[in-house]
Amino acid sequence: MQTPETITTRQQYGDSITIGRVSKGGEIKVYLDADDLAGAQKRIDNIVAARAYLLQKLGGALDG
């Protein structure tokens, strides 16, 4: 007899913030845990730094 398989799914970052518009230079969506303010702030800081790096690499082509 085969034992039934149990699958558990856990979403690490259940909350998100989206800022910007695709038509105005792009949007940023940050997934975070709103109950962990320090962690959420770090994730936001990291995505802002990543966006700045991308804009630098593209010569500001997406600045809007």
Side-chain angles (χ1 to χ4, degrees), residues 29-40:
K29 184 163 194 167
V30 182
Y31 292 92
L32 48 88
D33 176 2
D35 290 331
D36 175 14
L37 182 57

Side-chain angles (χ1 to χ4, degrees), residues 12 16-17 19-21 29 31 42 46 51-52 60 63:
Q12 185 174 4
S16 66
I17 297 173
I19 299 172
R21 294 185 185 157
K29 184 163 194 167
Y31 292 92
K42 183 176 180 180
N46 287 344
R51 182 181 186 275
D63 252 342

